Amino acid sequence: MNCLSCQQDLPPTARFCSSCGAPCATASAAAPAAVTAAGPAAAAPPPSDERKPVTVLFCDLVGSTALSGVLDPETLRTVTLRYFEAMSAEIVARGGTPEKFIGDAVMAVFGVPVVRDDDARRALAAALGMRRALARLNEELAATLGIELAIRIGVNTGQVVAGSDRTARQALVSGETVNIAARLEQNAGRGEILIGPGTLLAAGPTVSAEPTGPLRLKGKRDSVEAHRLLALGADDPELLRRFDVPFVGRDTERRALDAALERTVREGTAGLLRVTGEAGIGKTRLVREWLAGRSASGGLAYGAGRCRSYGDHGTLAPLADAVRSLLAARESSEGAQEAADGPAVDGSAVGGLAVGDAMALLSGGLLRDGTPNAPFEDMCAALATVLERAALVRPVVLVLDDWHAAAPLLVRTAHRLTDGSGCAGVLVLCAGRPDGPEGPEGPDDGDGPPAGAGALLQLTGLPYEEAARLAAVLAGPDGGIPGTDRLLERAGGNPLYLE
């Protein structure tokens, strides 16, 4: 059976969903319902529909009618199925749900069953990926059949009425947002991706697009200011979030970060600290400000990587990014030191493994593309050697952001590096939402944290006084926002909500 709340597969005897915790009917409780006067048809009603913000994508073939005059029915069907498969793969890879196949069109939804804060970016990444996937498919079709397919895409973001029954694939979402996405697709030219104003706003400042001018869409009384998607920039927090606002509060949390780092130095071992909190609470900003302050005074060296739940990347890519950036900063500082003191000797061994050999092993896989190219223990030993070498001068911090999206192998590697067997003076700092992985084997069923879960720093909303200070900064020199108390109450101390 499936959870009525999140649709997670459950064993027949489950009393609560292991994914979201919602109560569910057990097999024994469901049995009496089957023998009521209404008979087996008296099943529990489907969960109610709800309003939610989603991003809808429509993709259609251009000139598909002409293909039917060129290809025989069997070949045309094969080509169409390959097209649907290629398009669906790009959608699913980025967390979207292909909802409908209408003739030659594909409709997909990002935000059902789970709404994510980057659904709009995911949809745009899928649209660009679909265009690239079609180009690859066209290379094969041109060589074998002498034909070329073309698509047009429309993407729109807004509120819809969404059903939570994923088996009702033909009626998952409805509303004006869906209609506008379809009309944008119909107005797009060959190979074009047209996006609505809500999508442009929700996808963030790294979207490259040009205005098409007001479009008169069928069924819409007012014109729509659409844009033609050109490219999608990186999704690094430094590009998507405002860091120009002065940092407010978090003195206790910064002291906790100081203590965690000092503990790794004092105990001569590696440490793992999870920084958790809801979206927008300030995890990334806290870590960023703390690192900037400590590194500026020479108190640490650091590297950072970010976990992503979609896209083409190696399983250990976040760790690879963090180690690469750490080594690049170290080489830069050592280069300056060598200019003054002469070249340092780099043939030393740490923990029984030569640093050069360790770098050679890592460069062949992990540091190249984020994929392991050696047995797990050998890779971890090489990582420990390189990190310990870097920590000989000053403590090292590896930041793995968006830890809630970490792959199981990455979780296992992070805990192996911090299990007390090496990496003296290294702190692995994992920042993510509360539903992230806790230990090497995932969440634990016991009362306490699983073995090796590491320390936990949980961020809550800013206190009222600090939130009021932040509101005053956001309001600017004029200030005077009406209803400030109500805004502070609704934001609940969340800086992003307040912004």
Side-chain angles (χ1 to χ4, degrees):
M1 67 179 179
N2 287 40
C3 172
L4 296 180
S5 175
C6 68
Q7 300 302 312
Q8 176 75 24
D9 289 334
L10 301 174
T13 58
R15 297 178 57 198
F16 296 93
C17 176
S18 59
S19 178
C20 69
C24 51
T26 62
S28 59
V35 296
T36 60
S48 59
D49 295 344
E50 59 179 326
R51 292 178 62 89
K52 60 170 59 179
V54 304
T55 298
V56 180
L57 180 152
F58 272 90
C59 173
D60 197 8
L61 279 176
V62 178
S64 58
T65 304
L67 290 176
S68 60
V70 177
L71 305 175
D72 61 70
E74 289 79 8
T75 304
L76 178 61
R77 173 177 171 78
T78 300
V79 170
T80 302
L81 290 176
R82 292 188 64 190
Y83 152 73
F84 281 143
E85 181 181 2
M87 300 300 100
S88 296
E90 297 295 323
I91 293 166
V92 172
R94 290 160 179 85
T97 301
E99 190 197 44
K100 297 180 183 179
F101 298 94
I102 313 167
D104 300 319
V106 181
M107 174 187 170
V109 185
F110 293 78
V112 174
V114 179
V115 174
R116 306 178 181 90
D117 56 1
D118 61 347
D119 279 327
R121 287 189 61 85
R122 289 169 179 259
L124 296 187
L128 293 170
M130 292 162 76
R131 205 160 60 179
R132 292 190 297 268
L134 186 69
R136 294 192 295 269
L137 177 59
N138 276 333
E139 291 180 2
E140 300 180 28
L141 297 179
T144 57
L145 300 174
I147 64 171
E148 181 180 280
L149 304 181
I151 57 174
R152 60 191 184 196
I153 297 176
V155 184
N156 192 43
T157 301
Q159 293 281 336
V160 300
V161 175
S164 52
D165 182 5
R166 299 192 68 180
T167 61
R169 298 294 288 274
Q170 298 299 311
L172 208 56
V173 295
S174 59
E176 187 180 51
T177 298
V178 179
N179 297 331
I180 293 177
R183 300 305 183 200
L184 288 172
E185 174 263 302
Q186 293 165 6
N187 279 266
R190 182 185 179 95
E192 285 187 344
I193 302 170
L194 294 189
I195 63 177
T199 303
L200 182 65
L201 180 64
T206 64
V207 176
S208 176
E210 60 183 13
T212 62
L215 294 181
R216 301 293 299 181
L217 303 182
K218 183 178 179 181
K220 281 284 294 178
R221 180 166 51 186
D222 300 327
S223 59
V224 174
E225 295 289 340
H227 284 72
R228 186 177 296 107
L229 179 64
L230 303 178
L232 187 62
D235 60 349
D236 296 325
E238 285 75 10
L239 301 174
L240 298 177
R241 303 174 191 172
R242 287 190 61 185
F243 290 131
D244 58 326
V245 177
F247 188 65
V248 174
R250 302 298 191 196
D251 294 334
T252 301
E253 289 83 354
R254 282 189 281 191
R255 286 194 293 270
L257 292 173
D258 287 337
L261 182 62
E262 291 163 4
R263 188 163 52 249
T264 64
V265 175
R266 182 176 64 252
E267 297 178 357
T269 185
L272 186 147
L273 175 65
R274 293 186 299 124
V275 179
T276 69
E278 65 178 12
I281 205 70
K283 302 179 294 294
T284 300
R285 183 70 188 273
L286 167 66
V287 173
R288 184 178 186 271
E289 294 293 328
W290 177 71
L291 290 173
R294 290 295 299 257
S295 61
S297 61
L300 57 81
Y302 72 91
R306 184 162 173 249
C307 305
R308 290 172 171 83
S309 58
Y310 67 95
D312 298 326
H313 49 73
T315 307
L316 300 178
L319 179 60
D321 291 341
V323 174
R324 276 195 297 262
S325 59
L326 168 71
L327 296 179
R330 172 174 166 265
E331 289 173 3
S332 176
S333 62
E334 286 190 351
Q337 187 67 32
E338 286 180 11
D341 303 337
V345 178
D346 197 25
S348 59
V350 180
L353 182 63
V355 175
D357 292 340
M359 279 300 301
L361 185 148
L362 296 177
S363 298
L366 175 70
L367 296 182
R368 182 185 62 198
D369 54 14
T371 57
N373 67 317
F376 179 77
E377 290 298 331
D378 292 347
M379 179 191 70
C380 290
L383 272 170
T385 296
V386 170
L387 293 175
E388 284 189 33
R389 171 66 176 83
L392 290 177
V393 178
R394 61 179 63 89
V396 164
V397 177
L398 290 184
V399 178
L400 302 176
D401 205 355
D402 286 347
W403 186 243
H404 50 271
L409 181 59
L410 178 59
V411 177
R412 183 184 173 204
T413 305
H415 285 275
R416 178 64 182 83
L417 292 173
T418 57
D419 64 359
S421 60
C423 288
V426 176
L427 175 65
V428 179
L429 204 163
C430 306
R433 297 178 191 169
D435 57 350
E438 295 180 346
E441 304 302 329
D444 186 75
D445 293 331
D447 295 331
L456 175 65
L457 174 59
Q458 187 167 1
L459 268 62
T460 57
L462 292 172
Y464 183 88
E465 294 76 11
E466 294 178 357
R469 285 169 49 200
L470 178 58
V473 172
L474 292 169
D478 296 335
I481 298 178
T484 302
D485 288 341
R486 181 168 175 269
L487 291 176
L488 292 172
E489 181 182 354
R490 293 194 64 184
N494 186 305
L496 180 62
Y497 296 167
L498 189 57
E499 181 182 323

